[in-house]
Amino acid sequence: MYYRFSGVTQRLVGAAASAAYSPQGLKPIVSTESPALIFGTTTKLASDLPATDSFLGKNKVPDLQKIFQKADGLPVHLKRGVPDRLLYRTTMALTIGGTIYCLVALYMASQPRNQK
Amino acid sequence: MAHQAHSYHMVDPSPWPIFGAAAALLTTSGLIMWFHYNSSALLATGLLSMLLVMLQWWRDIVRESTFQGHHTPTVQKGLRYGMILFITSEAFFFLGFFWAFFHSSLVPTPELGGQWPPTGIKPLNPMEVPLLNTAILLASGVTVTWAHHSITEGNRKHAIHALTLTILLGFYFTALQAMEYYEAPFSIADSVYGSTFFVATGFHGLHVIIGSTFLTVCLLRLIKFHFTSNHHFGFEAAAWYWHFVDVIWLFLYMTIYWWGS
């Protein structure tokens, strides 16, 4: 009897002998090359028309695709480096600072006034 | 390197949802501070942080889709459902204000003179600027459809022209409405007529501005080659929203402007 681990039921379930020849737990050889870049070129691109090739700028999407698909482990909101970090920190400062100010203001507003 | 065995998008951890929630807290408590304590610092902070969160969240979605390729057909289907549900919720939002209008106008109270429009209210002539505004929005519905067809046919020049025209028509509507608001012989404080008129048309105007902004973002993305001839959901969502805004105006025009005059 051969067994494999079913990801659906999270249990061992019976399997055919072929499962023994392609073990589940065997990790594939890790490729050190970055994965193939995904381009949206299988459909007709508006930039394909030669007559309007340079109408309002050239297509920078492939370059941006390369930047954003770099395997540097950065999350998408920080992928561009310095400008992203600046914006993120500004937003965080405003929201966290604002929340503290808000709590202080609400605390003060909840104090009863002795005379109106 | 492990690959996922499904076509859904497992997003990177993101700070925008919690920052957005904080921005909502700052905006609402900022309104309280402005109304009751004459201080607008908190409100300004709230609106600014809301704007920053929206910009960065949507910027990240563009990055995840156009630049990282995460928007598979499965993901796109989910986004379509999401946009439809959102627009439906907006329809219910307006339904409330139409209810309020009919509640007051079908049975006008003695305080209003037992008539609608109430005694002393001189309503706007529906055959003047409001009719022009109707024509403008209907025309913009045609131009946005022209833009969509141009995108699917790969005609970049026409798509840009049509979308620009749509946005200009949207601005023209907003400008005309702003002028109407300024010149109107009645205000929001003029009985329930003023309340229902300005709250319903005011929220509609806000949605026109939101829709125009959405279309402008789509125009910028169109110019920057983000859309392909069969994957341009951002544009489709904007077009759906714009048609919704147009339909709401048609209802507003027929009920409040025309029947209600």
Side-chain angles (χ1 to χ4, degrees):
Chain A
M1 186 67 181
Y2 296 96
Y3 296 93
R4 63 175 178 85
F5 184 71
S6 164
V8 173
T9 57
Q10 297 285 301
R11 287 186 170 83
L12 288 177
V13 295
S18 53
Y21 289 94
S22 8
Q24 242 174 338
L26 182 65
K27 290 199 191 318
I29 297 170
V30 178
S31 162
T32 48
E33 279 182 61
S34 49
L37 295 174
I38 305 162
F39 289 110
T41 49
T42 52
T43 56
K44 202 178 358 168
L45 269 181
S47 57
D48 280 349
L49 293 171
T52 55
D53 213 12
S54 54
F55 187 68
L56 283 179
K58 72 173 192 39
N59 189 354
K60 297 205 192 84
V61 171
D63 307 319
L64 288 162
Q65 285 171 334
K66 235 192 325 214
I67 297 174
F68 283 101
Q69 290 179 36
K70 248 195 310 208
D72 52 14
L74 283 174
V76 72
H77 68 280
L78 294 170
K79 200 87 169 168
R80 248 197 148 155
V82 177
D84 289 356
R85 270 203 309 272
L86 272 172
L87 261 176
Y88 168 67
R89 288 177 185 179
T90 309
T91 313
M92 185 159 67
L94 275 173
T95 45
I96 293 182
T99 305
I100 296 171
Y101 175 44
C102 168
L103 294 170
V104 168
L106 286 174
Y107 175 76
M108 291 198 307
S110 63
Q111 301 302 312
R113 293 259 169 265
N114 288 323
Q115 59 223 78
K116 251 301 193 196
Chain B
M1 181 170 167
H3 290 93
Q4 61 186 42
H6 59 80
S7 53
Y8 294 94
H9 179 200
M10 307 302 285
V11 293
D12 292 337
S14 168
W16 310 130
I18 191 126
F19 284 173
L25 167 68
L26 299 185
T27 307
T28 46
S29 46
L31 277 171
I32 296 172
M33 295 305 286
W34 184 48
F35 288 161
H36 296 282
Y37 297 91
N38 200 28
S39 157
S40 44
L42 201 52
L43 180 58
T45 313
L47 289 172
L48 181 58
S49 47
M50 206 162 80
L51 185 68
L52 284 170
V53 166
M54 287 195 289
L55 278 172
Q56 291 172 93
W57 195 333
W58 282 320
R59 173 207 68 188
D60 286 354
I61 294 176
V62 171
R63 289 179 174 182
E64 288 159 3
S65 56
T66 308
F67 304 144
Q68 293 184 334
H70 285 296
H71 282 197
T72 62
T74 313
V75 171
Q76 210 195 110
K77 191 151 176 250
L79 291 170
R80 283 175 192 273
Y81 275 131
M83 192 66 194
I84 299 278
L85 288 171
F86 173 64
I87 292 177
T88 307
S89 77
E90 294 253 80
F92 279 106
F93 178 72
F94 278 98
L95 189 69
F97 295 118
F98 278 106
W99 185 334
F101 169 72
F102 282 115
H103 175 96
S104 301
S105 59
L106 283 168
V107 192
T109 63
E111 288 86 352
L112 302 173
Q115 63 177 41
W116 192 275
T119 315
I121 296 280
K122 194 171 167 294
L124 299 169
N125 187 345
M127 296 303 156
E128 292 180 0
V129 174
L131 186 60
L132 173 59
N133 274 342
T134 307
I136 289 170
L137 282 185
L138 286 172
S140 71
V142 170
T143 52
V144 80
T145 308
W146 173 27
H148 191 192
H149 283 239
S150 304
I151 291 174
T152 47
E153 288 157 21
N155 192 333
R156 177 177 164 81
K157 194 155 69 100
H158 280 189
I160 291 175
H161 285 169
L163 188 48
T164 307
L165 202 47
T166 310
I167 295 167
L168 287 174
L169 286 168
F171 285 165
Y172 189 24
F173 176 94
T174 306
L176 283 170
Q177 268 299 66
M179 186 212 71
E180 282 280 272
Y181 269 29
Y182 186 70
E183 302 282 340
F186 53 87
S187 77
I188 196 172
D190 284 321
S191 81
V192 75
Y193 182 90
S195 302
T196 50
F197 180 88
F198 283 108
V199 169
T201 59
F203 271 118
H204 173 262
L206 176 66
H207 283 70
V208 171
I209 293 169
I210 292 169
S212 304
T213 309
F214 196 173
L215 287 168
T216 307
V217 169
C218 285
L219 178 62
L220 290 170
R221 292 188 66 201
L222 176 62
I223 292 173
K224 288 172 182 290
F225 298 91
H226 287 197
F227 299 135
T228 69
S229 59
N230 69 357
H231 190 169
H232 43 264
F233 176 66
F235 173 82
E236 288 183 65
W240 289 351
Y241 195 78
W242 192 251
H243 287 307
F244 161 73
V245 159
D246 188 6
V247 166
I248 293 291
W249 170 259
L250 293 174
F251 278 110
L252 277 175
Y253 180 72
M254 290 190 298
T255 57
I256 297 183
Y257 282 91
W258 198 351
W259 177 83
S261 70

